[in-house]
Amino acid sequence: MKFVTKVGLIAFFAVIAFYGLYMHSVSMMGVSSTFAQEADHDADSDHDHISESSTMFKGSIFHITQPGLPTGSARLQETHTAPPGPWVLQGAWKLKVDQAAEALKSFEANLSMVRSSEPTAGLLGGGTLRNWHAMQISMESGEVINVDGETLHVLGDAIISSNGNEQFGLGAPESVEIILSGGGGLNPAHIAIWFDTNPEAITNTQFIQGTPTPKNARVHFGGVLFGTVDREK
């Protein structure tokens, strides 16, 4: 009888020990899973999160305002910038669209702009001759049109900043059309940023009548900017 009792007690404690080990293992697995999920989230936080319905494009701008502007185009009325160029623009841009909803989610371009027509003037010390400055273009909403799967058109209003201060598009909308082309709507090669605001519209918060200050971003940039799309997104 005593032997049976001892065997029963041993089996009882063994079951308790096994259950404790099992619960501890389950708990550790849950913690590990949580840390794995957090690690994945942290890893994703280093990149732009894109939903299944969203497409992101990015690339570079390298554009000389003049000479070299398109000619014979009814869309482009002006052939000069204000103040006079030629100006070199270089920088990066990023565009996120929801093609299913045909809507723009965001567009940002960060550009460096410098006048190149004075080779004897210092890059930063040339004053008004070189006039180096930074430009930012941003759009938060707009319409997306996929034309036969060949070109992607994004239409909306933009805010354009100079050296970090909002300058164009505050008093009146600065209409912009972005066209991605070459390689189809999902894998384009080129970007063209068209400024469609009326050339006489005053959207520049710093405009002074009777001076060469541009009335709007269209006049400032010369009507259009060109660039490329990264092939690897």
Side-chain angles (χ1 to χ4, degrees):
M1 187 67 181
K2 291 182 178 179
F3 175 78
V4 173
T5 302
K6 289 181 179 180
V7 171
L9 289 173
I10 292 172
F12 174 75
F13 287 117
V15 169
I16 292 176
F18 177 80
Y19 180 77
L21 289 172
Y22 171 77
M23 293 303 294
H24 177 73
S25 176
V26 169
S27 175
M28 291 304 294
M29 288 177 64
V31 171
S32 298
S33 175
T34 300
F35 276 119
Q37 292 175 0
E38 291 179 353
D40 289 341
H41 176 74
D42 290 340
D44 288 342
S45 66
D46 292 335
H47 306 280
D48 292 310
H49 178 72
I50 307 173
S51 67
E52 292 181 357
S53 62
S54 297
T55 306
M56 188 179 76
F57 303 95
K58 59 182 180 178
S60 302
I61 296 290
F62 185 83
H63 181 82
I64 300 176
T65 58
Q66 58 171 334
L69 287 175
T71 58
S73 172
R75 183 172 188 174
L76 188 64
Q77 300 176 22
E78 63 281 308
T79 57
H80 299 280
T81 56
W87 296 85
V88 176
L89 292 98
Q90 185 174 7
W93 60 269
K94 184 186 296 183
L95 169 70
K96 190 182 294 185
V97 300
D98 187 336
Q99 295 203 51
E102 298 181 340
L104 166 70
K105 303 190 79 171
S106 65
F107 174 76
E108 297 178 355
N110 294 289
L111 309 173
S112 173
M113 188 170 183
V114 63
R115 191 168 184 235
S116 63
S117 61
E118 302 293 339
T120 59
L123 180 60
L124 296 181
T128 57
L129 295 178
R130 300 300 294 271
N131 193 18
W132 178 90
H133 57 285
M135 299 296 300
Q136 300 83 31
I137 305 171
S138 63
M139 299 170 63
E140 297 181 352
S141 63
E143 179 184 7
V144 176
I145 303 173
N146 191 323
V147 180
D148 300 327
E150 293 298 323
T151 60
L152 205 63
H153 297 246
V154 180
L155 301 93
D157 295 332
I159 296 294
I160 295 96
S161 300
S162 177
N163 293 328
N165 299 310
E166 294 182 348
Q167 182 174 351
F168 299 98
L170 294 176
E174 192 71 55
S175 300
V176 172
E177 180 175 3
I178 300 168
I179 302 178
L180 301 181
S181 60
L186 291 178
N187 196 28
H190 315 130
I191 183 173
I193 305 173
W194 289 89
F195 298 87
D196 289 333
T197 303
N198 186 318
E200 296 302 318
I202 299 176
T203 72
N204 186 358
T205 58
Q206 300 177 14
F207 175 72
I208 301 175
Q209 191 71 42
T211 71
T213 307
K215 293 181 178 180
N216 50 61
R218 175 174 180 166
V219 178
H220 180 70
F221 291 121
V224 62
L225 299 176
F226 295 113
T228 59
V229 183
D230 288 350
R231 305 303 287 182
E232 295 183 5
K233 304 179 184 65

